[in-house]
PDB file of all heavy atoms in Angstrom:
ATOM      1  N   LYS A   1       8.813  -7.858   4.919  1.00 93.00           N
ATOM      2  CA  LYS A   1       9.038  -6.888   6.017  1.00 93.00           C
ATOM      3  C   LYS A   1       7.585  -6.300   6.298  1.00 93.00           C
ATOM      4  O   LYS A   1       6.879  -5.847   5.397  1.00 93.00           O
ATOM      5  CB  LYS A   1       9.849  -5.791   5.592  1.00 93.00           C
ATOM      6  CG  LYS A   1      11.311  -6.273   5.472  1.00 93.00           C
ATOM      7  CD  LYS A   1      12.238  -5.082   5.112  1.00 93.00           C
ATOM      8  CE  LYS A   1      13.756  -5.415   5.033  1.00 93.00           C
ATOM      9  NZ  LYS A   1      14.216  -6.043   6.318  1.00 93.00           N
ATOM     10  N   PHE A   2       7.171  -6.482   7.611  1.00 93.00           N
ATOM     11  CA  PHE A   2       5.834  -5.867   8.086  1.00 93.00           C
ATOM     12  C   PHE A   2       6.222  -4.525   8.575  1.00 93.00           C
ATOM     13  O   PHE A   2       6.917  -4.289   9.544  1.00 93.00           O
ATOM     14  CB  PHE A   2       5.359  -6.774   9.240  1.00 93.00           C
ATOM     15  CG  PHE A   2       4.938  -8.216   8.793  1.00 93.00           C
ATOM     16  CD1 PHE A   2       5.833  -9.253   8.887  1.00 93.00           C
ATOM     17  CD2 PHE A   2       3.766  -8.484   8.227  1.00 93.00           C
ATOM     18  CE1 PHE A   2       5.480 -10.506   8.471  1.00 93.00           C
ATOM     19  CE2 PHE A   2       3.387  -9.665   7.856  1.00 93.00           C
ATOM     20  CZ  PHE A   2       4.239 -10.734   7.971  1.00 93.00           C
ATOM     21  N   LEU A   3       5.593  -3.561   7.912  1.00 92.00           N
ATOM     22  CA  LEU A   3       5.855  -2.156   8.183  1.00 92.00           C
ATOM     23  C   LEU A   3       4.804  -1.516   9.164  1.00 92.00           C
ATOM     24  O   LEU A   3       5.096  -0.415   9.640  1.00 92.00           O
ATOM     25  CB  LEU A   3       5.873  -1.324   6.851  1.00 92.00           C
ATOM     26  CG  LEU A   3       6.837  -1.816   5.780  1.00 92.00           C
ATOM     27  CD1 LEU A   3       6.788  -0.914   4.516  1.00 92.00           C
ATOM     28  CD2 LEU A   3       8.309  -1.883   6.328  1.00 92.00           C
ATOM     29  N   GLY A   4       3.706  -2.221   9.407  1.00 91.00           N
ATOM     30  CA  GLY A   4       2.687  -1.663  10.287  1.00 91.00           C
ATOM     31  C   GLY A   4       1.861  -0.529   9.598  1.00 91.00           C
ATOM     32  O   GLY A   4       2.079  -0.307   8.444  1.00 91.00           O
ATOM     33  N   SER A   5       1.073   0.091  10.387  1.00 89.00           N
ATOM     34  CA  SER A   5       0.269   1.219   9.880  1.00 89.00           C
ATOM     35  C   SER A   5       1.179   2.442   9.634  1.00 89.00           C
ATOM     36  O   SER A   5       2.054   2.908  10.458  1.00 89.00           O
ATOM     37  CB  SER A   5      -0.743   1.623  10.970  1.00 89.00           C
ATOM     38  OG  SER A   5      -1.522   2.672  10.452  1.00 89.00           O
ATOM     39  N   LEU A   6       1.057   3.149   8.464  1.00 88.00           N
ATOM     40  CA  LEU A   6       1.795   4.286   8.067  1.00 88.00           C
ATOM     41  C   LEU A   6       0.872   5.456   7.820  1.00 88.00           C
ATOM     42  O   LEU A   6      -0.263   5.322   7.317  1.00 88.00           O
ATOM     43  CB  LEU A   6       2.552   3.952   6.780  1.00 88.00           C
ATOM     44  CG  LEU A   6       3.587   2.859   6.958  1.00 88.00           C
ATOM     45  CD1 LEU A   6       4.281   2.587   5.557  1.00 88.00           C
ATOM     46  CD2 LEU A   6       4.753   3.127   7.957  1.00 88.00           C
ATOM     47  N   PRO A   7       1.347   6.650   8.235  1.00 86.00           N
ATOM     48  CA  PRO A   7       0.605   7.874   7.750  1.00 86.00           C
ATOM     49  C   PRO A   7       0.550   8.043   6.253  1.00 86.00           C
ATOM     50  O   PRO A   7       1.240   7.364   5.510  1.00 86.00           O
ATOM     51  CB  PRO A   7       1.474   9.020   8.372  1.00 86.00           C
ATOM     52  CG  PRO A   7       2.321   8.392   9.445  1.00 86.00           C
ATOM     53  CD  PRO A   7       2.520   7.012   8.951  1.00 86.00           C
ATOM     54  N   GLN A   8      -0.529   8.670   5.793  1.00 85.00           N
ATOM     55  CA  GLN A   8      -0.741   8.875   4.406  1.00 85.00           C
ATOM     56  C   GLN A   8       0.499   9.377   3.613  1.00 85.00           C
ATOM     57  O   GLN A   8       0.786   8.912   2.567  1.00 85.00           O
ATOM     58  CB  GLN A   8      -1.950   9.756   4.182  1.00 85.00           C
ATOM     59  CG  GLN A   8      -3.330   8.957   4.336  1.00 85.00           C
ATOM     60  CD  GLN A   8      -3.606   8.093   3.077  1.00 85.00           C
ATOM     61  OE1 GLN A   8      -3.671   8.515   1.947  1.00 85.00           O
ATOM     62  NE2 GLN A   8      -3.713   6.837   3.434  1.00 85.00           N
ATOM     63  N   ASP A   9       1.257  10.337   4.258  1.00 87.00           N
ATOM     64  CA  ASP A   9       2.388  10.916   3.584  1.00 87.00           C
ATOM     65  C   ASP A   9       3.389   9.847   3.399  1.00 87.00           C
ATOM     66  O   ASP A   9       4.075   9.817   2.326  1.00 87.00           O
ATOM     67  CB  ASP A   9       2.859  12.105   4.316  1.00 87.00           C
ATOM     68  CG  ASP A   9       1.979  13.310   4.111  1.00 87.00           C
ATOM     69  OD1 ASP A   9       1.145  13.350   3.181  1.00 87.00           O
ATOM     70  OD2 ASP A   9       2.053  14.243   5.015  1.00 87.00           O
ATOM     71  N   GLU A  10       3.695   9.014   4.482  1.00 89.00           N
ATOM     72  CA  GLU A  10       4.700   8.056   4.273  1.00 89.00           C
ATOM     73  C   GLU A  10       4.304   6.983   3.308  1.00 89.00           C
ATOM     74  O   GLU A  10       5.032   6.465   2.556  1.00 89.00           O
ATOM     75  CB  GLU A  10       4.965   7.362   5.722  1.00 89.00           C
ATOM     76  CG  GLU A  10       5.733   8.359   6.637  1.00 89.00           C
ATOM     77  CD  GLU A  10       6.029   7.508   7.954  1.00 89.00           C
ATOM     78  OE1 GLU A  10       6.281   6.339   7.835  1.00 89.00           O
ATOM     79  OE2 GLU A  10       6.142   8.222   8.996  1.00 89.00           O
ATOM     80  N   LEU A  11       3.012   6.647   3.246  1.00 90.00           N
ATOM     81  CA  LEU A  11       2.497   5.677   2.375  1.00 90.00           C
ATOM     82  C   LEU A  11       2.606   6.196   0.934  1.00 90.00           C
ATOM     83  O   LEU A  11       2.968   5.405   0.060  1.00 90.00           O
ATOM     84  CB  LEU A  11       1.038   5.358   2.615  1.00 90.00           C
ATOM     85  CG  LEU A  11       0.370   4.126   2.002  1.00 90.00           C
ATOM     86  CD1 LEU A  11       1.201   2.853   2.311  1.00 90.00           C
ATOM     87  CD2 LEU A  11      -1.098   4.041   2.371  1.00 90.00           C
ATOM     88  N   ALA A  12       2.359   7.423   0.721  1.00 91.00           N
ATOM     89  CA  ALA A  12       2.547   7.940  -0.687  1.00 91.00           C
ATOM     90  C   ALA A  12       4.044   7.823  -1.108  1.00 91.00           C
ATOM     91  O   ALA A  12       4.276   7.567  -2.292  1.00 91.00           O
ATOM     92  CB  ALA A  12       2.168   9.481  -0.577  1.00 91.00           C
ATOM     93  N   VAL A  13       4.979   8.176  -0.188  1.00 92.00           N
ATOM     94  CA  VAL A  13       6.395   8.048  -0.556  1.00 92.00           C
ATOM     95  C   VAL A  13       6.697   6.587  -0.868  1.00 92.00           C
ATOM     96  O   VAL A  13       7.490   6.195  -1.849  1.00 92.00           O
ATOM     97  CB  VAL A  13       7.311   8.550   0.598  1.00 92.00           C
ATOM     98  CG1 VAL A  13       8.755   8.279   0.241  1.00 92.00           C
ATOM     99  CG2 VAL A  13       7.040  10.022   0.820  1.00 92.00           C
ATOM    100  N   LEU A  14       6.233   5.688  -0.054  1.00 92.00           N
ATOM    101  CA  LEU A  14       6.492   4.241  -0.204  1.00 92.00           C
ATOM    102  C   LEU A  14       6.021   3.761  -1.560  1.00 92.00           C
ATOM    103  O   LEU A  14       6.613   3.000  -2.269  1.00 92.00           O
ATOM    104  CB  LEU A  14       5.909   3.469   0.906  1.00 92.00           C
ATOM    105  CG  LEU A  14       6.279   1.989   0.957  1.00 92.00           C
ATOM    106  CD1 LEU A  14       7.801   1.841   1.158  1.00 92.00           C
ATOM    107  CD2 LEU A  14       5.540   1.388   2.107  1.00 92.00           C
ATOM    108  N   ASN A  15       4.776   4.205  -1.970  1.00 94.00           N
ATOM    109  CA  ASN A  15       4.227   3.799  -3.281  1.00 94.00           C
ATOM    110  C   ASN A  15       5.157   4.346  -4.438  1.00 94.00           C
ATOM    111  O   ASN A  15       5.395   3.525  -5.332  1.00 94.00           O
ATOM    112  CB  ASN A  15       2.840   4.554  -3.480  1.00 94.00           C
ATOM    113  CG  ASN A  15       1.756   3.548  -3.023  1.00 94.00           C
ATOM    114  OD1 ASN A  15       1.297   2.629  -3.863  1.00 94.00           O
ATOM    115  ND2 ASN A  15       1.316   3.741  -1.775  1.00 94.00           N
ATOM    116  N   GLY A  16       5.703   5.554  -4.241  1.00 93.00           N
ATOM    117  CA  GLY A  16       6.553   6.068  -5.323  1.00 93.00           C
ATOM    118  C   GLY A  16       7.918   5.349  -5.427  1.00 93.00           C
ATOM    119  O   GLY A  16       8.587   5.504  -6.373  1.00 93.00           O
ATOM    120  N   LEU A  17       8.298   4.675  -4.463  1.00 92.00           N
ATOM    121  CA  LEU A  17       9.689   4.068  -4.290  1.00 92.00           C
ATOM    122  C   LEU A  17       9.746   2.559  -4.694  1.00 92.00           C
ATOM    123  O   LEU A  17      10.671   2.079  -4.994  1.00 92.00           O
ATOM    124  CB  LEU A  17      10.291   4.251  -2.904  1.00 92.00           C
ATOM    125  CG  LEU A  17      10.537   5.671  -2.522  1.00 92.00           C
ATOM    126  CD1 LEU A  17      10.997   5.863  -1.086  1.00 92.00           C
ATOM    127  CD2 LEU A  17      11.610   6.294  -3.443  1.00 92.00           C
ATOM    128  N   CYS A  18       8.523   1.933  -4.484  1.00 95.00           N
ATOM    129  CA  CYS A  18       8.540   0.466  -4.791  1.00 95.00           C
ATOM    130  C   CYS A  18       8.393   0.227  -6.325  1.00 95.00           C
ATOM    131  O   CYS A  18       8.157   1.131  -7.117  1.00 95.00           O
ATOM    132  CB  CYS A  18       7.432  -0.208  -4.039  1.00 95.00           C
ATOM    133  SG  CYS A  18       7.698  -0.327  -2.283  1.00 95.00           S
ATOM    134  N   ASP A  19       8.529  -1.010  -6.679  1.00 96.00           N
ATOM    135  CA  ASP A  19       8.564  -1.366  -8.160  1.00 96.00           C
ATOM    136  C   ASP A  19       7.243  -1.955  -8.661  1.00 96.00           C
ATOM    137  O   ASP A  19       6.925  -1.671  -9.798  1.00 96.00           O
ATOM    138  CB  ASP A  19       9.695  -2.469  -8.373  1.00 96.00           C
ATOM    139  CG  ASP A  19      11.105  -1.936  -8.039  1.00 96.00           C
ATOM    140  OD1 ASP A  19      11.586  -0.955  -8.770  1.00 96.00           O
ATOM    141  OD2 ASP A  19      11.742  -2.252  -7.039  1.00 96.00           O
ATOM    142  N   ILE A  20       6.670  -2.750  -7.834  1.00 97.00           N
ATOM    143  CA  ILE A  20       5.395  -3.452  -8.324  1.00 97.00           C
ATOM    144  C   ILE A  20       4.278  -3.415  -7.180  1.00 97.00           C
ATOM    145  O   ILE A  20       4.759  -3.730  -6.022  1.00 97.00           O
ATOM    146  CB  ILE A  20       5.678  -4.796  -8.730  1.00 97.00           C
ATOM    147  CG1 ILE A  20       6.751  -4.941  -9.837  1.00 97.00           C
ATOM    148  CG2 ILE A  20       4.382  -5.551  -9.235  1.00 97.00           C
ATOM    149  CD1 ILE A  20       7.237  -6.266 -10.196  1.00 97.00           C
ATOM    150  N   CYS A  21       3.116  -3.153  -7.434  1.00 98.00           N
ATOM    151  CA  CYS A  21       2.036  -3.238  -6.487  1.00 98.00           C
ATOM    152  C   CYS A  21       1.469  -4.614  -6.642  1.00 98.00           C
ATOM    153  O   CYS A  21       1.074  -4.977  -7.794  1.00 98.00           O
ATOM    154  CB  CYS A  21       0.980  -2.124  -6.679  1.00 98.00           C
ATOM    155  SG  CYS A  21      -0.596  -2.379  -5.835  1.00 98.00           S
ATOM    156  N   VAL A  22       1.268  -5.366  -5.504  1.00 98.00           N
ATOM    157  CA  VAL A  22       0.587  -6.734  -5.573  1.00 98.00           C
ATOM    158  C   VAL A  22      -0.638  -6.548  -4.664  1.00 98.00           C
ATOM    159  O   VAL A  22      -0.646  -5.955  -3.589  1.00 98.00           O
ATOM    160  CB  VAL A  22       1.563  -7.785  -5.127  1.00 98.00           C
ATOM    161  CG1 VAL A  22       2.606  -8.020  -6.144  1.00 98.00           C
ATOM    162  CG2 VAL A  22       2.209  -7.436  -3.665  1.00 98.00           C
ATOM    163  N   PHE A  23      -1.805  -7.233  -5.068  1.00 98.00           N
ATOM    164  CA  PHE A  23      -3.025  -7.022  -4.455  1.00 98.00           C
ATOM    165  C   PHE A  23      -3.848  -8.287  -4.457  1.00 98.00           C
ATOM    166  O   PHE A  23      -3.906  -9.002  -5.536  1.00 98.00           O
ATOM    167  CB  PHE A  23      -3.781  -5.933  -5.083  1.00 98.00           C
ATOM    168  CG  PHE A  23      -5.114  -5.608  -4.410  1.00 98.00           C
ATOM    169  CD1 PHE A  23      -5.171  -4.850  -3.291  1.00 98.00           C
ATOM    170  CD2 PHE A  23      -6.302  -6.036  -4.959  1.00 98.00           C
ATOM    171  CE1 PHE A  23      -6.293  -4.598  -2.636  1.00 98.00           C
ATOM    172  CE2 PHE A  23      -7.474  -5.682  -4.338  1.00 98.00           C
ATOM    173  CZ  PHE A  23      -7.550  -4.966  -3.231  1.00 98.00           C
ATOM    174  N   ALA A  24      -4.424  -8.705  -3.376  1.00 97.00           N
ATOM    175  CA  ALA A  24      -5.236  -9.843  -3.274  1.00 97.00           C
ATOM    176  C   ALA A  24      -6.603  -9.719  -2.641  1.00 97.00           C
ATOM    177  O   ALA A  24      -7.263 -10.759  -2.337  1.00 97.00           O
ATOM    178  CB  ALA A  24      -4.464 -10.932  -2.486  1.00 97.00           C
ATOM    179  N   GLY A  25      -7.007  -8.555  -2.379  1.00 93.00           N
ATOM    180  CA  GLY A  25      -8.282  -8.263  -1.702  1.00 93.00           C
ATOM    181  C   GLY A  25      -9.463  -8.817  -2.520  1.00 93.00           C
ATOM    182  O   GLY A  25      -9.392  -8.631  -3.827  1.00 93.00           O
ATOM    183  N   ASN A  26     -10.482  -9.239  -1.942  1.00 89.00           N
ATOM    184  CA  ASN A  26     -11.686  -9.691  -2.747  1.00 89.00           C
ATOM    185  C   ASN A  26     -12.969  -9.280  -2.040  1.00 89.00           C
ATOM    186  O   ASN A  26     -14.051  -9.783  -2.324  1.00 89.00           O
ATOM    187  CB  ASN A  26     -11.709 -11.273  -2.820  1.00 89.00           C
ATOM    188  CG  ASN A  26     -11.878 -11.919  -1.483  1.00 89.00           C
ATOM    189  OD1 ASN A  26     -11.826 -11.378  -0.473  1.00 89.00           O
ATOM    190  ND2 ASN A  26     -12.535 -13.203  -1.575  1.00 89.00           N
ATOM    191  N   ASN A  27     -12.893  -8.200  -1.289  1.00 83.00           N
ATOM    192  CA  ASN A  27     -14.085  -7.722  -0.615  1.00 83.00           C
ATOM    193  C   ASN A  27     -14.043  -6.124  -0.778  1.00 83.00           C
ATOM    194  O   ASN A  27     -13.903  -5.453   0.316  1.00 83.00           O
ATOM    195  CB  ASN A  27     -14.261  -8.153   0.814  1.00 83.00           C
ATOM    196  CG  ASN A  27     -15.484  -7.707   1.439  1.00 83.00           C
ATOM    197  OD1 ASN A  27     -16.506  -7.349   0.745  1.00 83.00           O
ATOM    198  ND2 ASN A  27     -15.698  -7.759   2.798  1.00 83.00           N
ATOM    199  N   GLU A  28     -14.121  -5.654  -1.902  1.00 83.00           N
ATOM    200  CA  GLU A  28     -13.750  -4.235  -2.264  1.00 83.00           C
ATOM    201  C   GLU A  28     -14.925  -3.626  -3.154  1.00 83.00           C
ATOM    202  O   GLU A  28     -15.600  -4.349  -3.872  1.00 83.00           O
ATOM    203  CB  GLU A  28     -12.474  -4.095  -2.940  1.00 83.00           C
ATOM    204  CG  GLU A  28     -11.316  -4.826  -2.328  1.00 83.00           C
ATOM    205  CD  GLU A  28     -10.754  -4.039  -1.049  1.00 83.00           C
ATOM    206  OE1 GLU A  28     -10.979  -2.821  -1.010  1.00 83.00           O
ATOM    207  OE2 GLU A  28     -10.056  -4.688  -0.321  1.00 83.00           O
ATOM    208  N   GLY A  29     -15.064  -2.284  -2.915  1.00 85.00           N
ATOM    209  CA  GLY A  29     -15.913  -1.695  -3.944  1.00 85.00           C
ATOM    210  C   GLY A  29     -15.017  -1.185  -5.151  1.00 85.00           C
ATOM    211  O   GLY A  29     -15.172  -1.601  -6.309  1.00 85.00           O
ATOM    212  N   LEU A  30     -14.018  -0.368  -4.809  1.00 91.00           N
ATOM    213  CA  LEU A  30     -12.984   0.066  -5.774  1.00 91.00           C
ATOM    214  C   LEU A  30     -11.765   0.285  -4.952  1.00 91.00           C
ATOM    215  O   LEU A  30     -11.717   1.215  -4.210  1.00 91.00           O
ATOM    216  CB  LEU A  30     -13.401   1.326  -6.454  1.00 91.00           C
ATOM    217  CG  LEU A  30     -12.607   1.725  -7.674  1.00 91.00           C
ATOM    218  CD1 LEU A  30     -12.957   0.838  -8.872  1.00 91.00           C
ATOM    219  CD2 LEU A  30     -12.688   3.111  -8.004  1.00 91.00           C
ATOM    220  N   PRO A  31     -10.702  -0.512  -5.039  1.00 91.00           N
ATOM    221  CA  PRO A  31      -9.603  -0.568  -4.189  1.00 91.00           C
ATOM    222  C   PRO A  31      -8.844   0.710  -4.214  1.00 91.00           C
ATOM    223  O   PRO A  31      -8.201   1.004  -5.266  1.00 91.00           O
ATOM    224  CB  PRO A  31      -8.744  -1.832  -4.596  1.00 91.00           C
ATOM    225  CG  PRO A  31      -9.765  -2.638  -5.344  1.00 91.00           C
ATOM    226  CD  PRO A  31     -10.688  -1.736  -5.931  1.00 91.00           C
ATOM    227  N   ASN A  32      -8.799   1.408  -3.181  1.00 92.00           N
ATOM    228  CA  ASN A  32      -8.034   2.747  -3.082  1.00 92.00           C
ATOM    229  C   ASN A  32      -6.467   2.477  -3.417  1.00 92.00           C
ATOM    230  O   ASN A  32      -5.829   3.342  -3.960  1.00 92.00           O
ATOM    231  CB  ASN A  32      -8.235   3.475  -1.844  1.00 92.00           C
ATOM    232  CG  ASN A  32      -9.621   4.022  -1.627  1.00 92.00           C
ATOM    233  OD1 ASN A  32     -10.306   4.264  -2.741  1.00 92.00           O
ATOM    234  ND2 ASN A  32     -10.089   4.109  -0.453  1.00 92.00           N
TER     235      ASN A  32
END
């Protein structure tokens, strides 16, 4: 599901509701 851009408050809720964070970025300083 492509959710598009979300406000910070909605993103915070989404983080708290999901089960696992997956990440593949390779051009970062420290991934927020």
Side-chain angles (χ1 to χ4, degrees):
K1 293 185 178 292
F2 294 93
L3 304 181
S5 180
L6 299 176
Q8 279 286 298
D9 287 342
E10 289 186 29
L11 193 57
V13 172
L14 191 62
N15 268 275
L17 295 175
C18 288
D19 298 290
I20 302 169
C21 169
V22 291
F23 182 78
N26 70 336
N27 186 20
E28 309 281 341
L30 192 77
N32 291 334

